[in-house]
Amino acid sequence: MSGWERIRSSRSRLGGSDSRAPSSRTVRLGRVQPQAPGHRTIYCNDREANLPVRFKGNSISTTKYNVFTFLPKGLFEQFSPVHPITNVVPLSLVLFVSLVKEAFEDWKRLQNDKSINNALVDVLLDQKWERIPWKKLQVGDIVKVRQDGFFPADILFLAGTNPDGVCYIETANLDGETNLKIRKALEKTWDYLTPEKASEFKALESEVQCEQPNNSLYTFTGNLIIQKQTLPLSPNQILLRGCSLRNTEYIVGAVIFTGHETKVMMNAMNVPSKRSTLERKLDKLILALFGGLFLMCLIGAIASGIFINRKYYYLGLGASVENQFNPSNRFLVALLTMFTLITLYSTIIPISLYVSIEMIKFIQSTQFINKDLHMYHAETNTPALARTSNLNEELGQVEYIFSDKTGTLTRNLMEFFKCSIGGEVYGTGITEIEKGGAERSGIKLEEVHKSSNAIVEKGFNFDDARLMRGAWRNEPDPDTCKEFFRCLAICHTVLPEGDESPEKVTYQAASPDEEALVTAAKNFGFFFYRRTPTTIYVRESHVEKMGKVQDVTYEILNVLEFNSTRKRQSVVCRYPDGRLVLYCKGADSVIYERLGDVNGDLKKKTREHLEQFGSAGLRTLCLAYRDLTTDLYEHWNEKFIQAKSSLRDREKKLDEVAEIIEKDLVLIGCTAIEDKLQEGVPSCIETLSRAGIKIWVLTGDKMETAINIAYACNLINNNMKQFIISSDTDAIREVEERGDQVEIARFIKDSVCADLKKYQEEAQQYLHTISGPKLALVIDGKCLMYALDPNLRGMLLNLSLNCTSVVCCRVSPLQKAQVTSLVKKGARKITLSIGDGANDVSMIQAAHVGVGISGLEGMQAVMASDFAIAQFRFLTDLLLVHGRWSYLRICKVVTYFFYKNLTFTLTQFWFTFQTGFSGQRFYDDWFQSLYNVIFTALPVIIVGLFDQDVSESLSKKYPELYKEGIRDSFFKWRVVGIWAFFSFYQSLVFYHFVTASSSSPQNSSGKMFGLWDVSTMAFTCVVVTVNLRLLMLCNSITRWHYISVAGSVFAWFIFIFIYSGVMTPYDRQENVFFVIYVLMSTFYFYLALLLVPVAALLGDFIYLGVQRWFFPYDYQIIQEMYRHEPDQSSRSELLDIRNDLTPDEARSYAISQLPREKSKHTGFAFDSPGYESFFASQQGVYAPQKAWDVARRASMRSGTRTGKKK
């Protein structure tokens, strides 16, 4: 502090408030003093002194817009996909709907913000508590928060009503964890509970020096200097905004960070805006339509400049004619005609497509995905949740899945399963992974039956009579057993709740592993039942003699906390008899480095047991202890207090001090905890693999455990060729022992490079053989760090893409995101990431689609995800059913929109050739405006919601169907080209068949049809035809299809009856006055209405027949196989969850079981059994050759298909 004091004297009070390059802030709890450099001074309970600094207020805003930015920003958002500017009515409707939706969503955010900002809190003003809104809270205020209340800002905990200055908080809003956390005030401030006492801060020479606002939820660095004594502050004294107070009457604290500077608000990042691959391709299609529009307008404009001529005397193109038709200036004529034609042909751009797709996706998400009973988890009462509707169809094209292991593939329900104490293994169970490994090796394991008196409890699945009920006293080394149990009971940060009895106590732990270990200690007879900040109470049984129970109090002197760098946790405690002991538990690699020389043979034996447990898929921890002398401890504790008081690099200094005492440890043994696989994971992975999806596992576990989990999940099997790139080799260990970091980095990089080259060559050899094995790659985090180097990244990607399965172990959250981005950007494949913890958030946000598991590691993964499910196995339904259906439906909606708009616009284009390219309209303005909005709008939405090629059960029975989505079979440019061809053909039919009627008299009075008669007849044929074409497009037809199509056609007739029957002098309505009545009085109208749609659809009819016969899609073959069978989705497959439902939900469920209308497959159903595909073997049917089989094979594209003959 001496250096700071020298600088402090040269700084003025206000000069110190410059925060341009600050690293920490100073909170003043007393009279004014000059500042240290880079610190901000906050005067507690002194608002006037804080005014010059202008700290941010406590009001927060999460809205997307404000009054001034709504229109410009909202319109920008709507035009961000390639929205064109075209006819006023459809465009206005589209923008209005979109802006109303945006405004409504933002209004809900605003209401939420208001309710939060206006919540009340007690603040110390003039030596008494006054209730003010949160938004008026300022930095430096002293606040009182009551039980179950939320903290309005980031607060320094000064005092609480609980003894020993302790309070309990729940952090569910931060990380989803409902287990309570303990916070402890500094002893110096315990008595600042009353307004009078808290007001003394002004009089005391006290200040708080702390870090600047940042987004790190779990770190805090600061010092409280009170009466010239420096006391270190840690996260244990900080109460974060968003957390709530539990089991404490009230607390008093000083506000440190407010509003958007609080840690929770600095973590409130926007989820990256994701657009589906199909939408980006749609943008290209819209650009292509713009190109077509420009080309059509250019042709018309040039032709009008050429056509215009005074020789056409009947056009009256005299000297006084307007510029657009003045032959003297042909360039101007062409230019003005260009603008006219742009308006005329603008219907080619499907403006309402985006709104229709958005509506379809929204209903798909809220009504189909969120309410799917097959994705409802009854045990936790958790349904699936689509958090965004932008990516529904992306679910149908996923090729790579990146999955976390713990809590995603496994249950994250830890159970104490086995242990090794003093070189002896205890525990008799067999894990699921051991069973799977035995099956692969062809070994039959005998079923191990639990003993009749085995204890069954959550977190404890251990069975071995040698340790239970005091039997450990008879073991060869009972003292080591005693140390083992005490280490479990003392070395932790668990909080007990409830009655102080083994049956009724519940443990609140930071992780399921911690809870399992403390539960194990309880069942071994060392019952931890109470804790204070400085003591732990353990009820020990059978220690001195069998049957004797005694309560022992252990004084906790220091806690060296677990973090991802240390990978261990230590506690220094004092026994009642004065014995000083350091207990340590942590990862084997870390503990073994710190063992003393006395362990000898025990190290080797325990190492073997660790490998044995790891190969069984168990999570292992090593336990060790060290006896301390009083002098050694006192000398070390001084250094520890100094490190805790350090304002800079505190974590680093604490780690260095911990290294001093965490050495010369005595090994006790190790624990083995089982994290069981989730139900249905192996079959789900096998199904997804058959669907052409490649699954990668990215985990922080060690390699042996990860490989065994991969075996248990069917990701890896013995038939696969495994490529293993590991840093745990003799050569690398030898280099690491020398300690030269530069040399280590160079050696590992060269080693990884050599492995990648070697394996890439091997992979190419295997891939060129006809029946080569499938490939699997296993790589650890250290090697992955070098493999992701820009020079090696390409080799890693090529090798990975050739492998069926990839397992990355010991990887950091950042590496998870890097691997995901590597495939997403490098291979341009559609990726999905799935995880359940905060460490999976970056991976979830990096992928095209992020899926969160709502599990036991909090809700951060879910909050960052696009879709949330309760179990990994639900991916089958999410991808193979909803994803595939959504992709198929959206493809049909997009291509159909393209078809109907192009068809409609081309009829106008052909008419331009007969009008001297003058820009004369073929259709009335209102026809053109309402074509997309009313007359063809509803049927396509019905298709987008209800079209279904095969049933849900068949989608899962034949997962190979999903490959069509991966190949993007239904939205290729070839498919768009086919639709364009038939649009071209149909527009010619509409125009020429109908205009032929204008060449001779058609009604009884001998009058010929005029322009508006012909155009109205043509428009009627267009509306009828495009709606009928939609029915030909459907795979399944329900009553809603019939209602929407018939309703659209009737809507046109009702509109034209009213529109042509009313005459007003203010518009061009006189053009079509009485037109429909004249048309319907002629036989020709009915003949055209019958024949024109038939002639227009004849080409589509023939094409669909030929395509289905000779070049069928996979789903069409399935339709043929099951066309005589009822819908395959048997009702017995529905989950039996009625007992878990409310009466209203149960009624809805019962209604869903009632008989309903079956979907009817449309299209051609031929009798030919000659479909050769991967489905043939499923049937095992042989049929004699028929003539058309030969014809079909002769007409097929070059390239043979393999498979059995049906």
Side-chain angles (χ1 to χ4, degrees):
M1 294 297 294
S2 58
W4 283 15
E5 295 296 341
R6 284 196 300 273
I7 300 170
R8 186 179 280 143
S9 62
S10 66
R11 301 265 295 191
S12 70
R13 170 179 163 185
L14 293 180
S17 66
D18 182 12
S19 59
R20 281 171 293 182
S23 59
S24 58
R25 62 159 68 174
T26 301
V27 184
R28 293 282 292 112
L29 300 178
R31 57 191 181 74
V32 178
Q33 285 187 359
Q35 284 180 274
H39 286 60
R40 289 196 283 178
T41 302
I42 303 168
Y43 307 97
C44 269
N45 204 22
D46 191 349
R47 290 191 166 190
E48 292 77 14
N50 285 323
L51 274 178
V53 188
R54 296 184 182 277
F55 289 118
K56 285 193 176 181
N58 199 42
S59 177
I60 57 128
S61 172
T62 59
T63 56
K64 195 173 180 180
Y65 309 104
N66 58 39
V67 175
F68 302 105
T69 63
F70 177 68
L71 270 181
K73 191 175 178 183
L75 286 170
F76 175 78
E77 292 274 341
Q78 303 316 312
F79 281 98
S80 57
V82 191
H83 276 304
I85 297 180
T86 182
N87 291 346
V88 175
V89 172
L91 180 64
S92 302
L93 188 67
V94 167
L95 293 180
F96 178 73
V97 170
S98 298
L99 286 174
V100 165
K101 174 174 170 276
E102 288 287 324
F104 177 69
E105 288 182 351
D106 223 40
W107 180 78
K108 287 196 294 185
R109 293 188 198 105
L110 178 64
Q111 296 306 307
N112 187 49
D113 291 345
K114 277 186 177 179
S115 66
I116 291 172
N117 289 331
N118 291 317
L120 298 177
V121 65
D122 290 321
V123 176
L124 185 64
L125 296 173
D126 300 326
Q127 294 198 357
K128 63 178 185 290
W129 298 117
E130 291 190 15
R131 292 180 73 74
I132 66 170
W134 282 20
K135 63 185 177 185
K136 293 185 178 178
L137 204 60
Q138 295 180 11
V139 172
D141 284 348
I142 304 289
V143 297
K144 178 169 85 170
V145 179
R146 304 169 193 271
Q147 180 164 333
D148 297 328
F150 289 92
F151 302 121
D154 289 353
I155 295 170
L156 170 63
F157 179 28
L158 299 174
T161 53
N162 286 345
D164 301 327
V166 167
C167 76
Y168 299 94
I169 66 169
E170 186 181 274
T171 59
N173 283 352
L174 263 62
D175 53 20
E177 294 182 12
T178 53
N179 46 306
L180 301 184
K181 311 289 192 307
I182 193 169
R183 294 291 181 266
K184 183 188 176 189
L186 295 175
E187 197 168 342
K188 274 275 184 185
T189 63
W190 281 2
D191 56 349
Y192 289 108
L193 270 175
T194 63
E196 298 77 23
K197 191 69 179 173
S199 300
E200 291 179 11
F201 274 124
K202 267 189 177 180
L204 294 174
E205 292 184 14
S206 49
E207 65 181 42
V208 174
Q209 299 170 342
C210 68
E211 63 192 12
Q212 285 290 349
N214 59 71
N215 64 358
S216 177
L217 291 172
Y218 306 108
T219 62
F220 180 81
T221 308
N223 284 337
L224 172 62
I225 303 173
I226 185 165
Q227 294 174 338
K228 297 184 179 178
Q229 183 181 357
T230 301
L231 302 170
L233 295 176
S234 71
N236 281 331
Q237 285 84 48
I238 301 301
L239 309 173
L240 299 182
R241 178 183 178 128
C243 299
S244 56
L245 186 65
R246 294 282 186 266
N247 298 357
T248 309
E249 187 182 342
Y250 68 88
I251 64 99
V252 173
V255 175
I256 304 292
F257 304 130
T258 51
H260 286 276
E261 290 186 338
T262 56
K263 289 180 181 284
V264 67
M265 290 305 295
M266 296 190 83
N267 271 278
M269 57 182 180
N270 292 324
V271 176
S273 178
K274 295 181 180 179
R275 295 189 70 210
S276 69
T277 309
L278 192 143
E279 273 192 10
R280 286 194 289 270
K281 194 168 181 181
L282 172 59
D283 289 346
K284 294 177 184 175
L285 177 59
I286 298 293
L287 286 174
L289 288 175
F290 268 114
L293 172 65
F294 179 76
L295 183 63
M296 290 161 63
C297 295
L298 189 64
I299 292 171
I302 293 172
S304 71
I306 296 171
F307 174 84
I308 204 79
N309 199 310
R310 286 200 170 89
K311 69 178 181 180
Y312 303 114
Y313 59 91
Y314 48 83
L315 295 178
L317 303 177
S320 60
V321 73
E322 58 186 284
N323 290 334
Q324 186 172 351
F325 304 110
N326 191 342
S328 304
N329 192 344
R330 293 178 183 273
F331 176 76
L332 184 61
V333 169
L335 187 63
L336 294 175
T337 303
M338 181 83 172
F339 289 114
T340 303
L341 293 179
I342 285 175
T343 306
L344 202 57
Y345 299 154
S346 61
T347 49
I348 196 174
I349 309 297
I351 315 169
S352 56
L353 171 60
Y354 285 99
V355 170
S356 299
I357 287 179
E358 202 167 309
M359 190 185 306
I360 289 166
K361 288 182 178 180
F362 178 75
I363 296 174
Q364 283 175 350
S365 299
T366 55
Q367 299 302 313
F368 299 160
I369 294 178
N370 292 0
K371 296 185 178 180
D372 186 353
L373 290 175
H374 289 93
M375 293 195 290
Y376 171 79
H377 193 232
E379 289 175 30
T380 56
N381 190 26
T382 309
L385 175 65
R387 291 174 47 79
T388 177
S389 59
N390 293 343
L391 303 169
N392 295 356
E393 70 276 16
E394 199 88 324
L395 291 171
Q397 296 182 274
V398 172
E399 191 170 355
Y400 285 87
I401 292 177
F402 300 94
S403 173
D404 177 40
K405 183 188 78 68
T406 305
T408 304
L409 298 176
T410 59
R411 298 181 189 178
N412 204 17
L413 287 173
M414 308 302 174
E415 293 181 334
F416 189 92
F417 198 68
K418 289 186 178 182
C419 62
S420 167
I421 306 175
E424 186 72 30
V425 173
Y426 297 94
T428 58
I430 298 174
T431 65
E432 294 175 4
I433 293 167
E434 283 179 302
K435 290 175 187 172
E439 283 175 20
R440 284 190 298 276
S441 307
I443 303 168
K444 189 172 182 181
L445 289 176
E446 290 185 18
E447 191 70 30
V448 176
H449 296 286
K450 276 197 170 186
S451 56
S452 57
N453 56 358
I455 296 172
V456 178
E457 184 180 352
K458 179 191 172 187
F460 191 73
N461 187 22
F462 179 87
D463 184 26
D464 195 327
R466 293 177 294 170
L467 292 186
M468 306 303 294
R469 296 174 176 81
W472 54 269
R473 291 173 57 88
N474 302 321
E475 287 301 291
D477 195 353
D479 289 339
T480 304
C481 291
K482 202 188 319 180
E483 293 292 354
F484 182 88
F485 300 145
R486 280 180 175 153
C487 184
L488 293 182
I490 295 170
C491 186
H492 57 76
T493 56
V494 175
L495 293 173
E497 276 192 343
D499 291 348
E500 295 178 355
S501 65
E503 298 78 23
K504 295 184 179 178
V505 74
T506 56
Y507 290 125
Q508 295 285 351
S511 72
D513 299 75
E514 284 257 84
E515 185 182 347
L517 293 174
V518 176
T519 303
K522 178 183 78 173
N523 288 309
F524 288 135
F526 289 70
F527 170 39
F528 157 64
Y529 63 91
R530 191 192 309 160
R531 93 176 300 146
T532 69
T534 56
T535 53
I536 274 183
Y537 298 84
V538 180
R539 188 166 297 151
E540 298 183 351
S541 308
H542 319 296
V543 174
E544 293 183 7
K545 65 178 183 179
M546 283 295 289
K548 183 177 181 182
V549 178
Q550 57 189 12
D551 288 351
V552 184
T553 304
Y554 296 95
E555 185 182 356
I556 304 301
L557 303 174
N558 307 88
V559 176
L560 305 176
E561 294 179 358
F562 176 92
N563 62 43
S564 56
T565 309
R566 284 168 40 77
K567 295 181 182 175
R568 63 190 183 278
Q569 178 187 37
S570 298
V571 167
V572 179
C573 68
R574 181 182 280 124
Y575 277 46
D577 61 5
R579 179 190 175 197
L580 281 172
V581 186
L582 170 92
Y583 283 116
C584 184
K585 68 180 182 191
D588 51 4
S589 56
V590 175
I591 299 293
Y592 265 65
E593 290 172 1
R594 290 161 178 78
L595 292 177
D597 299 329
V598 297
N599 296 279
D601 207 31
L602 179 58
K603 284 170 67 174
K604 185 181 175 186
K605 280 186 181 178
T606 307
R607 170 73 76 187
E608 291 171 2
H609 297 161
L610 283 164
E611 290 175 3
Q612 178 186 327
F613 294 153
S615 63
L618 298 171
R619 299 159 66 91
T620 56
L621 280 178
C622 279
L623 274 56
Y625 76 98
R626 180 187 180 188
D627 282 309
L628 305 173
T629 63
T630 306
D631 291 343
L632 172 67
Y633 172 71
E634 294 294 344
H635 181 65
W636 172 83
N637 196 37
E638 288 178 15
K639 294 181 180 178
F640 179 74
I641 292 170
Q642 281 181 359
K644 280 197 80 170
S645 305
S646 172
L647 197 60
R648 297 180 187 276
D649 299 325
R650 178 183 296 175
E651 297 295 329
K652 183 181 175 186
K653 290 176 181 175
L654 280 172
D655 288 352
E656 289 170 356
V657 171
E659 291 285 350
I660 299 171
I661 201 167
E662 289 175 330
K663 64 181 182 181
D664 297 328
L665 301 176
V666 178
L667 183 63
I668 305 172
C670 66
T671 62
I673 291 176
E674 182 179 21
D675 185 9
K676 290 186 175 180
L677 282 177
Q678 283 186 15
E679 181 188 340
V681 166
S683 59
C684 172
I685 287 178
E686 185 183 354
T687 302
L688 294 175
S689 298
R690 285 174 56 200
I693 299 172
K694 299 178 179 66
I695 300 172
W696 294 21
V697 174
L698 312 177
T699 176
D701 277 352
K702 54 187 174 223
M703 187 170 283
E704 298 80 16
T705 309
I707 290 175
N708 280 292
I709 288 286
Y711 266 107
C713 294
N714 290 339
L715 268 176
I716 297 177
N717 57 51
N718 288 334
N719 297 325
M720 285 185 174
K721 172 64 181 174
Q722 294 178 27
F723 299 139
I724 297 178
I725 303 177
S726 171
S727 59
D728 191 21
T729 63
D730 293 335
I732 292 176
R733 272 197 294 264
E734 191 179 317
V735 174
E736 285 179 332
E737 284 172 6
R738 296 181 206 144
D740 185 344
Q741 295 301 321
V742 177
E743 173 65 15
I744 292 170
R746 187 197 60 77
F747 187 85
I748 295 179
K749 185 175 180 181
D750 291 346
S751 173
V752 169
C753 182
D755 284 344
L756 286 173
K757 282 181 180 174
K758 182 179 77 173
Y759 291 148
Q760 180 64 19
E761 290 169 4
E762 282 187 47
Q764 291 301 325
Q765 291 174 2
Y766 285 121
L767 291 171
H768 287 123
T769 58
I770 296 172
S771 58
K774 289 184 177 178
L775 309 176
L777 172 66
V778 182
I779 184 170
D780 70 11
K782 196 178 287 185
C783 293
L784 185 63
M785 182 173 67
Y786 296 101
L788 288 170
D789 183 270
N791 298 325
L792 301 181
R793 194 180 297 163
M795 292 168 61
L796 174 67
L797 182 62
N798 289 332
L799 176 60
S800 302
L801 295 181
N802 289 329
C803 294
T804 308
S805 303
V806 176
V807 178
C808 302
C809 18
R810 295 288 195 197
V811 290
S812 66
L814 178 61
Q815 286 177 320
K816 290 183 178 183
Q818 287 174 329
V819 170
T820 306
S821 297
L822 179 68
V823 176
K824 177 184 176 182
K825 295 175 181 174
R828 298 188 178 276
K829 303 290 187 182
I830 295 180
T831 56
L832 179 148
S833 289
I834 179 168
D836 73 317
N839 61 332
D840 302 315
V841 167
S842 53
M843 172 178 78
I844 284 170
Q845 293 185 339
H848 289 94
V849 182
V851 177
I853 298 274
S854 43
L856 301 179
E857 284 193 26
M859 297 294 287
Q860 277 183 289
V862 169
M863 299 306 289
S865 67
D866 306 303
F867 298 89
I869 54 178
Q871 296 277 290
F872 183 88
R873 68 177 185 275
F874 295 157
L875 270 185
T876 306
D877 285 275
L878 189 65
L879 298 184
L880 303 190
V881 180
H882 294 286
R884 206 179 133 272
W885 282 351
S886 295
Y887 166 70
L888 205 65
R889 290 164 179 169
I890 298 297
C891 285
K892 287 188 175 183
V893 169
V894 170
T895 51
Y896 176 75
F897 254 96
F898 167 74
Y899 148 79
K900 71 185 179 76
N901 282 40
L902 185 58
T903 303
F904 179 70
T905 308
L906 284 175
T907 54
Q908 174 73 63
F909 182 63
W910 305 134
F911 179 66
T912 306
F913 283 84
Q914 285 200 343
T915 58
F917 309 98
S918 60
Q920 168 63 40
R921 288 182 174 275
F922 184 47
Y923 299 115
D924 182 83
D925 289 345
W926 282 101
F927 294 4
Q928 188 164 324
S929 294
L930 299 179
Y931 174 71
N932 278 318
V933 177
I934 294 179
F935 306 137
T936 60
L938 188 57
V940 70
I941 292 175
I942 295 298
V943 169
L945 293 176
F946 298 119
D947 192 58
Q948 184 176 309
D949 56 349
V950 296
S951 68
E952 181 179 351
S953 57
L954 289 177
S955 295
K956 291 187 280 189
K957 184 177 180 180
Y958 299 103
E960 293 86 352
L961 290 170
Y962 188 83
K963 292 178 181 176
E964 290 178 327
I966 294 175
R967 294 192 295 264
D968 200 13
S969 300
F970 303 114
F971 197 38
K972 293 180 181 290
W973 288 110
R974 179 177 59 84
V975 175
V976 174
I978 291 168
W979 279 100
F981 171 78
F982 285 111
S983 289
F984 188 83
Y985 161 74
Q986 288 183 18
S987 65
L988 287 172
V989 170
F990 292 140
Y991 181 72
H992 289 293
F993 277 39
V994 176
T995 52
S997 64
S998 64
S999 59
S1000 58
Q1002 300 298 341
N1003 63 9
S1004 56
S1005 61
K1007 288 183 180 178
M1008 294 171 61
F1009 283 160
L1011 167 61
W1012 305 111
D1013 300 300
V1014 172
S1015 67
T1016 303
M1017 194 189 314
F1019 190 83
T1020 305
C1021 292
V1022 169
V1023 169
V1024 170
T1025 305
V1026 296
N1027 279 295
L1028 289 176
R1029 180 63 183 87
L1030 187 81
L1031 291 178
M1032 294 174 66
L1033 177 72
C1034 300
N1035 283 302
S1036 56
I1037 298 181
T1038 66
R1039 63 177 178 273
W1040 300 109
H1041 290 76
Y1042 294 131
I1043 291 170
S1044 61
V1045 169
S1048 297
V1049 175
F1050 280 130
W1052 155 245
F1053 279 107
I1054 292 167
F1055 167 78
I1056 192 61
F1057 283 152
I1058 296 170
Y1059 184 58
S1060 64
V1062 179
M1063 178 70 171
T1064 59
Y1066 303 112
D1067 54 24
R1068 298 171 57 186
Q1069 202 167 344
E1070 67 272 11
N1071 294 334
V1072 292
F1073 180 63
F1074 223 63
V1075 160
I1076 192 67
Y1077 302 102
V1078 172
L1079 285 175
M1080 294 186 74
S1081 67
T1082 66
F1083 172 74
Y1084 188 85
F1085 173 76
Y1086 298 101
L1087 186 67
L1089 196 57
L1090 178 66
L1091 294 182
V1092 171
V1094 170
L1097 293 175
L1098 183 62
D1100 298 79
F1101 190 77
I1102 293 169
Y1103 166 76
L1104 290 175
V1106 170
Q1107 180 270 320
R1108 191 178 182 94
W1109 185 295
F1110 296 113
F1111 314 104
Y1113 288 113
D1114 294 336
Y1115 76 83
Q1116 291 173 328
I1117 299 172
I1118 295 294
Q1119 287 176 352
E1120 294 298 326
M1121 288 162 56
Y1122 288 92
R1123 72 183 196 287
H1124 295 306
E1125 298 182 21
D1127 190 1
Q1128 291 294 305
S1129 54
S1130 76
R1131 305 198 182 280
S1132 62
E1133 288 181 11
L1134 291 173
L1135 302 178
D1136 185 18
I1137 58 170
R1138 279 164 286 185
N1139 294 333
D1140 298 288
L1141 299 179
T1142 64
D1144 286 344
E1145 290 169 334
R1147 180 175 175 275
S1148 300
Y1149 178 82
I1151 291 171
S1152 74
Q1153 305 299 291
L1154 297 174
R1156 62 187 66 192
E1157 179 181 345
K1158 301 286 187 225
S1159 294
K1160 305 179 187 66
H1161 291 306
T1162 61
F1164 297 97
F1166 296 106
D1167 294 329
S1168 168
Y1171 291 102
E1172 296 171 354
S1173 70
F1174 57 85
F1175 301 109
S1177 58
Q1178 301 276 347
Q1179 297 301 298
V1181 176
Y1182 173 77
Q1185 294 230 348
K1186 295 184 181 177
W1188 56 76
D1189 288 330
V1190 179
R1192 185 177 68 82
R1193 282 197 298 276
S1195 65
M1196 286 176 62
R1197 298 190 189 95
S1198 59
T1200 58
R1201 295 190 184 187
T1202 59
K1204 280 195 240 173
K1205 197 74 187 158
K1206 279 172 58 175

